[in-house]
């Protein structure tokens, strides 16, 4: 064989080199095994977690919102089962056919139909389309009847907010609607809980107690594929329902309030004078909050928004009115407390007084003649109050008014739209208007006009604190756990008065004594309880004695008998011409008519409730507002026994 | 030329007896594992991929048995023709081939879409083995010899890289280079060319396709773009790593059946296997490949003819390259380049080429006493 030697050498070379390659292969295989070991054994946990993260997805379910109950446990904002129609396009054979059929059966409008088609094209084929958020019962049965023909359409039972008393609670509860981006940004809990379609409180208590009401999400865990499609459900956790919140409001009284305010703009507040519980609080006109649940339609919205009576404003809390003559009890009390006058102080009313060239008129042109405190209050004599205001001065008047709850928020932060109002004094004018106080302003402040601005709820609180004998109470709208009964509060008040009387002997300066008592619950707001009684008696006379301004609205039955004070608040300055014309209310343009006010408490012998009524542009308090109180007090007193019973039961429940 | 008269043709039964049964069993085992894996990629059903893969395996395996009976001289005789035909097919593919996912590498043969570059992986070894068979050792390092060898190697590489198919061209280059090295080329030429390669690397990168550059960047840092280019490698590592010691179980690989794994039928079939069968399963699979490589190399060792020896050494090394490049790639040790795992990955051309390689090796085993002039 030719070149055998070379051949042998060639074979030796190839074998040697193969051996080298073999060694290299061994190293490489070892490397691969080491890599496998590090991935699969050493770092197994890390990659197992990553793989689970890949395949597991949690779907959060909308939480079930807490309910609102009235004082008697009736649901006033609940959760209603609603029937919805869902379609998952992936499960539909012929989407177009199905949609056309549904369009006919549910009579979907062309606009909504287009929206659904748009949504279908936007989302993944396995994502649910909600064809209808709220099927009527008829639609629901119709869909079920044709279901065999509607492959892929799913009638679904869902939960939605519902306000069974529609417009009766609108301003108290507010309403819920789909969470906006702003809602989500501003509230961490909403952000945490948010799922598409989640409804959150937009106004009122629904908004204030959002965090308590919202509840927690249920969670469904699914295995998903790389494209996010759900493959199978792994487990399911129910969320916690939101907290149920019980209010102090009595639905029956609330309903009567809204009936009495029908067709007018105004508000009514009713308060328990011992517990501070708000028994009714209605602002009129109202609107149906249910309209907002599934997104309000443009026509309804424009109707509400453009209503000249302003249904969107909660007049009880954010309506600011000059108190008019309803302020007179404060003026009288302040003058008594500061020993400017006593019960026998008399003024001769000639229909007007003049001061520095300015004329200040009494509402009665002819004048009331010689009046004392009781008759001045009874007939609402302006001249008398001009006189005592002048002697008292605005600063001392403010001190008393603030103490009784004017010029401060009544429910603190419970309602974001509550207003403080304004009780002016000399300092306030200097700081805000940059001008010195004029004595004439003191006079008109003395009859509740001028700068003074109050909310109806403040007037109600003021009345309550007069009615309970001059003790501080803490108004509330939510029935609290540690709520004391009226009897307990009465006892505390009694003790406080005793303390005041005891210390009276030792301490001459009543002011430092008041400071002492400031820290206690239900502190005394007066220096002498005699003064409170004088004012209360004057208010009684105003309603129950002949020539009293609200004498026509009195109830003689002592069970229902109440004491009150009318008020007529001017919305503009009365000109000379007006006085000469002396027009009847209906002859004046609506926006220029006076507001009619009335404050009252009852039953007079053993008072328990106070109320305030404001009718915007209603004319005079005695003709428009006071008659409403008459109708209201009957129901309030009639329901008192029930309320007492319920109060005991509530204590047991809570 | 002399003909060795002692070398008579073995009879049919001798041929049967001479079969490398261990190699045969390993190939069958691999076929079975690949069929099961393909069944798993189809989500536990016999669908298109498993059906197609199993039938291709059976057809090509049978073909391999029959081709094993061909004398090794036949392969030697037709080696250049084989190379030229495949080269022509490559050219054809470049001109008239089917385009798919941005590259033109298939020829439509109506019953099969042939990928000539896969065949070239074998043809280059056969061709170079024949080339060096006749060349004496002292001539191996002559310029003329080296030049021709380089031409044989570079022509197909150019054709494949322009398809573009970086993975296959790298495997062709590695297969060719290992044969050239085994033939006895001086190590210094390898060192020289390695230096030249390093210097020319920046220029070469300039010529790379954008997607190829991206793959290299992604390899260097897969978290650079976890949803885009890095997605494959990240998901692959998650699948392998989550397999653990014994795997998630057959048909229970969540990464694969929830479709997080890309290309799980082809290049990433090992990922699926490693996820479902864990570290132990992967070691088992690797062991089968090691046995196959060892058997092929052993046939080379006992072959009397230089052609058979060089082919078997070359082919054994080539399988080693296929396996390690593919595994390193799915384990994140190398950038993603398209390279199938022999027998396991779905793909007819790759299967065909691999089976031809085994047929030649088997033929070398049967005719190991045969000398070729």
């Amino acid at each position: 064989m030719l070149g055998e030697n070379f051949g042998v050498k060639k074979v030796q070379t190839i074998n040697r080199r193969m051996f080298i390659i073999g060694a290299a292969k061994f190293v490489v295989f070892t490397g691969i095994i080491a890599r496998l070991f590090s991935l699969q054994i050493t770092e197994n946990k890390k990659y197992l977690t990553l793989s689970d993260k890949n395949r597991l997805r949690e779907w959060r379910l909308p939480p079930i919102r807490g309910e609102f109950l009235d004082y008697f446990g009736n649901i006033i904002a609940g959760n209603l089962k609603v029937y919805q129609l869902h379609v998952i396009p992936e499960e539909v054979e012929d989407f177009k056919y199905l949609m056309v059929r549904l369009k006919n059966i549910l009579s979907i409008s062309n606009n909504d139909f287009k929206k659904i088609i748009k949504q279908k094209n936007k989302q993944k084929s396995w994502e649910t389309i909600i064809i209808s958020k709220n099927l009527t019962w008829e639609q629901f049965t119709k869909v079920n009847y044709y279901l065999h023909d509607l492959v892929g359409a799913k009638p679904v039972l869902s939960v939605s907010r519902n306000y069974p008393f529609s417009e009766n609670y609108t301003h108290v509860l507010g309403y819920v609607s789909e969470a906006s981006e702003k809602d989500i940004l501003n509230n961490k809990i909403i952000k945490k809980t948010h799922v598409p379609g989640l409804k959150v409180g937009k106004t009122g208590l629904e908004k204030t107690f959002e965090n308590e009401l919202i509840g927690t999400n249920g969670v469904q865990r699914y295995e998903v594929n790389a494209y996010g499609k759900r493959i199978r459900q792994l487990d399911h956790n129910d969320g916690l329902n939101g907290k149920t919140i019980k209010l102090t409001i009595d639905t029956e009284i609330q309903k009567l309030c809204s009936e009495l305010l029908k067709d007018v703009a105004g508000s009514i507040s009713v308060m328990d004078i011992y517990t501070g519980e708000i028994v009714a609080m209605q602002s009129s006109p109202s609107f149906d909050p249910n309209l907002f649940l599934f997104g309000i339609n443009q026509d309804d919205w424009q109707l509400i928004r453009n209503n000249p009576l302003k249904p969107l404003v909660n007049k009880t809390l954010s309506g600011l009115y000059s108190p008019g003559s309803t302020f007179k009890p404060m003026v009288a009390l302040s003058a008594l407390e500061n020993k400017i006058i006593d019960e026998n102080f008399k003024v001769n009313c000639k229909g007007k007084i003049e001061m520095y060239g300015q004329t200040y008129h009494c509402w009665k042109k002819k004048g009331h003649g010689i009046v004392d405190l009781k008759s001045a209050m009874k007939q609402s004599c302006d001249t008398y109050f001009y006189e005592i205001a002048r002697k008292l001065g605005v600063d001392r008047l403010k001190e008393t008014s603030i103490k009784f709850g004017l010029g401060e928020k009544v429910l603190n932060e419970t309602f974001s739209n509550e207003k403080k109002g304004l009780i002016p004094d000399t300092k306030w004018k200097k700081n805000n208007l940059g001008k010195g106080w004029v004595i004439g302003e003191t006079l008109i402040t003395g009859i509740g006009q001028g700068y003074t601005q109050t909310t109806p709820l403040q007037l109600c609180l003021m009345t309550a604190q007069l009615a309970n004998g001059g003790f501080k109470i803490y108004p509330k709208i939510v029935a609290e756990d540690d709520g004391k009964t009226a009897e307990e509060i009465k006892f505390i008040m009694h003790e406080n008065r005793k303390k005041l009387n005891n210390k009276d002997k030792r301490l001459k300066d009543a002011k430092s004594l008041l400071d002492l008592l400031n820290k206690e619950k239900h502190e005394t707001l007066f220096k002498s309880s005699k003064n409170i009684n004088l004012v209360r008696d004057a208010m009684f006379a105003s309603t129950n004695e002949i020539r009293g301004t609200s004498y026509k609205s009195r109830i003689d039955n002592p069970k229902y008998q109440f004491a009150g004070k009318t008020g007529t608040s001017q919305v503009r300055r009365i000109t000379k011409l007006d006085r000469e014309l002396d027009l009847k209310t209906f002859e004046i343009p609506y926006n220029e008519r006076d507001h009619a006010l009335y404050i009252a408490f009852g039953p007079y012998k053993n008072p328990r409730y106070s109320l305030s009524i404001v009718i915007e542009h209603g004319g005079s308090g005695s003709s428009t507002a006071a008659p409403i109180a008459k109708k209201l007090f009957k129901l309030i007193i009639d329901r008192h026994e029930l309320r007492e019973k319920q109060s005991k039961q509530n204590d047991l429940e809570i | 030329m002399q003909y060795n008269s002692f070398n008579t043709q073995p009879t049919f039964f001798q041929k049967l007896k001479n079969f490398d049964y261990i190699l045969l069993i390993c190939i069958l085992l691999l076929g079975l594992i690949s069929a099961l894996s393909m069944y798993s990629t189809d989500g536990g059903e016999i669908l298109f991929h498993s059906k197609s893969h199993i039938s291709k395996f059976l057809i090509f395996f049978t073909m391999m048995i029959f081709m094993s009976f061909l004398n090794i001289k036949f392969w030697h005789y037709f080696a250049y023709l084989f190379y030229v035909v495949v080269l022509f097919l490559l050219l054809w593919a470049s001109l008239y081939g089917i385009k798919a996912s941005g590259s033109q590498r298939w020829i439509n043969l109506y019953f099969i879409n042939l990928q000539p570059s896969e065949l070239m992986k074998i043809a280059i070894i056969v061709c170079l083995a024949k080339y060096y068979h006749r060349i004496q050792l002292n001539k191996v390092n002559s310029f003329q010899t080296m030049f021709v060898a380089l031409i044989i190697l570079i022509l197909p590489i150019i054709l494949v890289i322009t398809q573009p198919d970086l993975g296959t061209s790298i495997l062709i280059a590695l297969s060719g280079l290992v044969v050239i090295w085994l033939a006895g080329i001086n190590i210094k030429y390898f060192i020289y060319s390695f230096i030249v390669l390093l210097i020319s690397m920046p220029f070469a990168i300039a010529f790379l396709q954008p997607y190829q550059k991206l793959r290299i960047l992604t390899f260097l840092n897969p978290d650079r773009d976890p949803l885009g280019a890095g997605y494959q490698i990240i998901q692959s590592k998650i699948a392998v790593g989550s397999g653990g010691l014994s795997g998630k179980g057959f048909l229970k690989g969540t990464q694969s059946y929830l479709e997080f794994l890309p290309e799980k039928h082809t290049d990433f079939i090992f990922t699926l296997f490693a996820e479902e069968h864990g570290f132990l399963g992967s070691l088992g699979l690797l062991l089968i490949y090691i046995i196959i490589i060892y058997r092929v190399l052993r046939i080379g060792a006992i072959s009397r003819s230089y052609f058979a020896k060089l082919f078997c050494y070359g082919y054994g090394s080539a399988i080693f390259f296929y396996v390690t490049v593919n595994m390193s790639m799915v384990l994140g040790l190398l950038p993603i380049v398209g390279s199938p795992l022999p027998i396991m990955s779905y793909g007819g051309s790759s299967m065909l080429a691999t089976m031809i390689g085994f047929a030649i090796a088997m033929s070398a085993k049967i005719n190991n006493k045969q000398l070729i002039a």
Side-chain angles (χ1 to χ4, degrees):
Chain A
M1 220 156 65
L2 201 88
E4 181 76 23
N5 254 351
F6 288 114
V8 170
K9 235 183 144 188
K10 212 173 156 186
V11 170
Q12 276 174 352
T13 306
I14 192 176
N15 282 340
R16 194 176 61 238
R17 292 199 166 190
M18 192 59 236
F19 182 76
I20 295 170
I21 292 176
K25 285 179 187 171
F26 180 76
V27 172
V28 172
F29 273 126
T30 313
I32 286 181
I33 290 169
R35 175 67 168 180
L36 273 171
F37 187 87
S38 96
L39 284 179
Q40 299 195 294
I41 309 293
T42 320
E43 294 187 282
N44 175 239
K45 269 219 175 108
K46 171 184 152 193
Y47 286 111
L48 211 52
T49 324
L50 284 173
S51 139
D52 280 346
K53 228 168 114 188
N54 261 346
R55 75 187 177 98
L56 301 177
R57 286 277 186 294
E58 286 185 349
W59 261 268
R60 288 179 310 159
L61 306 173
I64 295 176
R65 200 172 174 81
E67 293 175 330
F68 277 107
L69 306 179
D70 75 353
Y71 197 75
F72 297 91
N74 303 310
I75 293 171
I76 53 176
N79 294 308
L80 195 69
K81 283 177 180 157
V82 291
Y83 300 100
Q84 301 192 327
L85 191 69
H86 293 186
V87 168
I88 300 175
E90 192 190 56
E91 295 169 3
V92 183
E93 273 175 44
D94 188 346
F95 189 77
K96 240 184 199 163
Y97 172 77
L98 176 69
M99 283 314 297
V100 171
R101 289 284 289 147
L102 284 177
K103 189 174 182 250
N104 290 333
I105 293 169
L106 303 178
S107 41
I108 300 170
S109 73
N110 277 330
N111 228 346
D112 291 341
F113 188 75
K114 270 182 208 152
K115 262 187 214 160
I116 292 167
I117 301 294
K118 221 180 187 177
Q119 200 196 352
K120 189 229 165 191
N121 295 333
K122 215 169 59 183
Q123 62 188 32
K124 300 255 162 61
S125 65
W126 57 79
E127 282 174 334
T128 308
I129 296 178
I130 299 172
I131 301 287
S132 170
K133 284 175 184 169
N134 189 12
L135 291 174
T136 62
W137 175 247
E138 281 137 58
Q139 283 174 321
F140 183 72
T141 46
K142 224 170 160 187
V143 166
N144 277 312
Y145 182 74
Y146 289 114
L147 208 55
H148 61 276
D149 193 27
L150 303 171
V151 182
K154 284 188 204 162
V156 174
L157 200 61
S158 180
V159 174
S160 160
R161 199 48 147 187
N162 170 252
Y163 301 102
F165 296 100
S166 54
E167 51 238 8
N168 285 322
Y169 276 104
T170 310
H171 290 108
V172 175
L173 296 176
Y175 56 87
V176 296
S177 195
E178 215 156 286
S180 69
E181 235 161 84
K182 217 169 123 200
D183 295 328
I184 298 167
L185 273 178
N186 290 343
N187 186 325
K188 273 186 193 156
I189 293 180
I190 294 179
K191 199 174 174 187
K192 211 183 89 194
T193 319
H194 185 258
V195 289
L198 178 74
K199 286 170 193 154
V200 298
K202 296 285 183 180
T203 59
L205 295 178
E206 288 271 28
K207 188 178 182 192
T208 309
F209 293 104
E210 183 61 50
N211 296 353
E212 281 85 2
L213 290 166
I214 195 167
T216 59
N217 300 102
V219 173
Q220 280 181 328
R221 276 204 324 158
Y222 281 92
E223 193 170 70
V224 298
N225 71 7
Y227 311 106
K229 182 180 176 178
R230 298 178 209 193
I231 304 297
R232 68 195 167 104
Q233 188 178 340
L234 297 176
D235 53 20
H236 171 101
N237 284 327
D238 284 326
L240 293 173
N241 286 12
K243 206 176 133 190
T244 301
I245 294 177
K246 190 169 209 169
L247 302 188
T248 57
I249 292 184
D250 181 339
T251 303
E252 290 306 311
I253 298 172
Q254 182 81 3
K255 265 157 75 179
L256 180 63
C257 288
S258 75
E259 225 169 89
L260 293 171
L261 289 173
K262 211 176 168 198
D263 299 331
V264 298
S267 87
I268 299 179
S269 320
V270 181
M271 196 183 282
D272 184 315
I273 62 167
Y274 293 110
T275 60
E277 290 169 350
I278 293 171
V279 176
M281 187 169 104
Q282 174 67 344
S283 171
S284 175
S286 186
F287 54 90
D288 186 356
N290 291 309
L291 291 175
F292 286 82
L293 294 178
F294 303 103
I296 188 164
N297 71 46
Q298 205 53 31
D299 293 348
D300 287 339
W301 174 238
Q302 290 304 337
L303 216 61
I304 292 171
R305 215 179 61 141
N306 298 334
N307 187 333
L309 301 185
K310 299 204 170 68
L312 288 171
V313 178
N314 184 357
K315 300 184 175 70
T316 326
L317 298 169
S318 28
L320 289 176
Y321 307 91
S322 298
S325 303
T326 57
F327 193 49
K328 283 175 182 163
M330 271 301 105
V331 183
L333 182 69
S334 189
L336 286 167
E337 290 274 279
N338 289 296
K339 302 202 165 74
I340 305 292
I341 57 163
D342 62 14
E343 55 193 297
N344 299 318
F345 177 80
K346 288 186 179 70
V347 168
N348 187 4
C349 171
K350 292 171 184 159
K352 60 185 174 188
I353 59 170
E354 297 212 7
M355 193 171 283
Y356 301 119
Q358 194 90 32
T359 309
Y360 297 89
H361 293 269
C362 181
W363 65 271
K364 199 171 178 183
K365 272 187 203 160
K366 285 181 247 165
H368 293 94
I370 292 171
V371 286
D372 61 1
L373 172 65
K374 195 171 170 183
S375 55
M377 186 83 90
K378 187 167 97 178
Q379 305 176 58
S380 203
C381 170
D382 292 336
T383 314
Y384 180 88
F385 284 93
Y386 289 143
E387 183 60 19
I388 64 172
R390 186 182 62 80
K391 288 184 153 195
L392 176 65
V394 71
D395 290 344
R396 283 187 286 191
L397 175 57
K398 177 178 178 169
E399 201 185 308
T400 311
S401 310
I402 294 282
K403 226 188 279 174
F404 276 79
L406 303 182
E408 301 282 352
K409 284 188 180 179
V410 175
L411 290 167
N412 298 320
E413 299 307 315
T414 309
F415 289 89
S416 55
N417 54 359
E418 181 171 2
K419 292 212 172 114
K420 263 175 82 171
L422 174 69
I423 299 298
D425 62 358
T426 49
K427 221 188 262 162
W428 169 84
K429 194 181 173 195
K430 190 98 198 148
N431 290 341
N432 289 279
L433 302 179
K435 284 181 195 159
W437 188 266
V438 185
I439 188 78
E441 289 167 345
T442 307
L443 299 200
I444 56 170
T445 304
I447 59 162
Q449 299 289 157
Y451 302 116
T452 316
Q453 294 213 294
T454 56
T455 67
L457 194 63
Q458 283 172 341
L459 292 176
C460 187
L461 174 63
M462 175 193 90
T463 315
Q465 290 180 147
L466 278 172
N468 69 20
F471 296 92
K472 190 168 175 63
I473 55 169
Y474 302 87
K476 59 187 178 193
I477 195 159
V478 174
E480 281 164 19
D481 307 23
D482 63 340
K484 291 190 172 69
T485 65
E487 290 306 313
E488 286 165 334
I489 292 168
K490 260 185 187 167
F491 179 75
I492 294 170
M493 289 173 175
H494 182 69
E495 290 297 301
N496 283 353
R497 177 156 45 210
K498 267 206 310 211
K499 258 186 248 167
L500 181 74
N501 291 337
N502 286 341
K503 280 167 190 162
D504 221 2
K505 285 163 195 161
R506 280 180 285 124
L507 286 165
K508 288 248 162 95
D509 188 1
K511 195 180 176 309
S512 59
L513 178 67
L514 274 170
D515 290 341
L516 258 178
L517 293 171
N518 258 347
K519 286 161 197 88
E520 290 173 37
K521 268 225 151 188
H522 308 298
E523 66 188 75
T524 47
L525 302 170
F526 54 86
K527 291 171 195 164
S528 163
S529 61
K530 194 187 155 208
N531 296 335
I532 300 281
N533 286 333
L534 283 173
V535 174
R536 295 203 314 186
D537 289 345
M539 284 172 75
F540 176 76
S542 166
T543 307
N544 297 291
E545 289 180 9
I546 290 181
R547 287 208 296 278
T549 49
S550 50
Y551 180 67
K552 276 187 218 150
S553 304
R554 76 191 181 282
I555 304 175
D556 288 328
N557 183 347
K559 191 185 167 195
Y560 303 111
Q561 196 172 38
F562 60 92
K565 180 73 197 78
T566 56
T568 303
S569 150
Q570 294 159 16
V571 292
R572 64 186 191 106
R573 212 182 174 85
I574 299 173
T575 60
K576 214 175 167 189
L577 183 71
D578 291 330
R579 289 188 200 284
E580 280 162 12
L581 287 173
D582 197 17
L583 292 169
K584 293 272 184 309
T585 302
F586 63 87
E587 292 167 326
I588 305 169
Y590 177 80
N591 276 330
E592 291 177 9
R593 291 178 202 166
D594 296 336
H595 296 320
L597 290 86
Y598 191 65
I599 57 169
F601 62 90
Y604 180 71
K605 281 275 149 57
N606 190 8
R608 190 55 200 275
Y609 298 98
S610 73
L611 59 77
S612 75
I613 297 164
V614 176
I615 307 296
E616 283 188 3
H617 308 294
S620 77
S622 65
S623 65
T624 317
I628 290 176
K630 182 179 179 177
K631 290 175 194 157
L632 206 49
F633 257 114
K634 270 217 160 120
L635 184 71
I636 294 169
I637 307 300
D638 280 340
R639 292 196 52 88
H640 175 68
E641 224 165 279
L642 272 175
R643 194 173 171 89
E644 287 286 85
K645 229 167 139 189
Q646 186 63 35
S647 162
K648 273 172 203 149
Q649 207 175 319
N650 282 357
D651 282 349
L652 290 176
E653 274 171 25
I654 296 165
Chain B
M1 276 209 197
Q2 274 188 353
Y3 186 73
N4 194 332
S5 56
F6 300 108
N7 247 318
T8 47
Q9 287 288 327
T11 64
F12 178 73
F13 287 105
Q14 274 173 320
K15 280 182 178 176
L16 265 189
K17 216 184 121 194
N18 261 342
F19 254 87
D20 192 328
Y21 285 102
I22 295 180
L23 180 61
L24 221 55
I25 287 167
C26 283
I27 295 169
L28 274 175
L29 213 55
L30 218 47
L32 182 70
I33 292 172
S34 73
L36 290 174
S37 300
M38 218 46 78
Y39 176 71
S40 178
T41 67
D42 275 349
E45 282 175 87
I46 298 191
L47 297 179
F48 175 76
H49 284 106
S50 23
K51 253 190 233 165
S52 167
H53 187 79
I54 292 165
S55 54
K56 275 172 193 158
F57 176 78
L58 291 176
I59 291 166
F60 294 140
F61 184 78
T62 319
M63 190 198 75
M64 187 265 284
I65 301 282
F66 280 108
M67 279 163 78
S68 302
F69 287 100
L70 293 171
N71 194 305
I72 187 71
K73 277 159 96 178
F74 168 86
W75 293 106
H76 179 260
Y77 187 79
F78 288 109
Y80 287 152
L81 183 67
F82 182 32
Y83 173 79
V84 171
V85 167
V86 175
L87 203 61
F88 172 75
L89 289 175
L90 268 179
L91 200 62
W92 184 273
S94 294
L95 295 174
Y96 310 108
I98 303 164
K99 271 190 187 161
S101 46
S103 104
Q104 189 171 0
R105 47 176 96 148
W106 292 274
I107 296 173
N108 186 1
L109 295 183
Y110 298 102
F111 63 96
I112 185 174
N113 282 338
L114 188 70
Q115 192 184 338
S117 54
E118 285 292 335
L119 289 178
M120 184 48 88
K121 282 180 1 199
I122 295 299
I124 191 79
I125 302 171
V126 178
C127 179
L128 284 172
K130 174 163 181 175
Y131 178 68
Y132 283 111
H133 176 69
R134 297 282 297 278
I135 291 171
Q136 289 172 356
L137 191 59
N138 55 355
K139 296 245 177 78
V140 165
N141 284 306
S142 76
F143 174 77
Q144 196 195 340
T145 318
M146 280 198 299
F147 184 74
V148 174
L150 234 56
I151 293 295
I152 292 172
L153 182 60
I154 281 175
L155 277 180
I157 290 176
I158 290 172
L159 285 173
V160 174
I161 213 164
T162 52
Q163 282 178 344
D165 185 352
L166 188 63
T168 313
S169 58
I170 285 173
L171 288 174
I172 292 170
L174 286 172
S175 310
L177 284 173
V178 80
V179 175
I180 293 173
W181 152 262
L182 285 168
I185 266 196
N186 198 322
I187 187 98
K188 68 181 179 197
Y189 295 117
F190 277 92
I191 293 169
Y192 291 161
S193 46
F194 184 67
I195 291 167
V196 171
L197 193 71
L198 272 189
I199 294 168
S200 63
M201 195 73 107
F203 304 101
I205 285 174
F207 282 104
L208 284 179
Q209 300 284 333
Y211 83 94
Q212 286 166 332
K213 278 188 225 170
L214 199 66
R215 278 179 176 180
I216 290 171
L217 285 173
T218 305
F219 163 69
L220 295 174
N221 180 18
D223 296 324
R224 207 173 65 100
D225 180 12
L227 290 177
Y231 183 78
Q232 291 185 324
I233 190 63
I234 288 171
Q235 293 302 339
S236 176
K237 273 160 76 176
I238 291 174
V240 173
S242 62
L245 181 67
S246 54
K248 291 179 182 166
F250 183 52
L251 300 181
K252 285 178 187 153
T254 54
Q255 284 284 101
S256 70
Y257 101 88
L258 296 172
E259 293 168 56
F260 290 98
L261 274 189
E263 325 228 355
K264 54 184 173 177
H265 303 100
T266 56
D267 292 359
F268 284 85
I269 189 83
F270 177 65
T271 312
L272 171 135
F273 184 83
E275 186 189 16
E276 292 192 346
H277 304 287
F279 183 63
L280 296 178
S282 309
L283 275 190
L285 187 68
L286 207 56
L287 190 66
I288 294 173
Y289 278 115
I290 289 171
I291 294 171
I292 287 174
I293 293 165
Y294 169 73
R295 293 309 292 186
V296 173
L297 293 180
R298 198 180 153 277
I299 294 170
I302 61 168
S303 286
R304 284 184 67 185
S305 78
Y306 189 77
F307 170 74
K309 199 184 273 291
L310 191 49
F311 174 81
C312 289
Y313 282 172
Y315 185 54
S317 303
I319 299 172
F320 162 79
F321 287 133
Y322 306 157
V323 172
T324 51
V325 167
N326 177 278
M327 285 190 181
S328 307
M329 178 182 94
V330 302
L331 295 179
L333 294 170
L334 284 179
I336 306 279
V337 290
S339 79
L341 192 60
I343 310 285
M344 287 288 286
S345 288
Y346 179 80
S349 307
S350 162
M351 179 91 80
L352 176 64
T354 311
M355 286 300 187
I356 290 173
F358 285 135
I360 301 172
M362 201 64 88
S363 155
K365 172 80 193 342
I366 291 167
N367 304 293
N368 71 327
K369 302 276 189 327
Q370 180 89 54
L371 274 176
I372 302 165

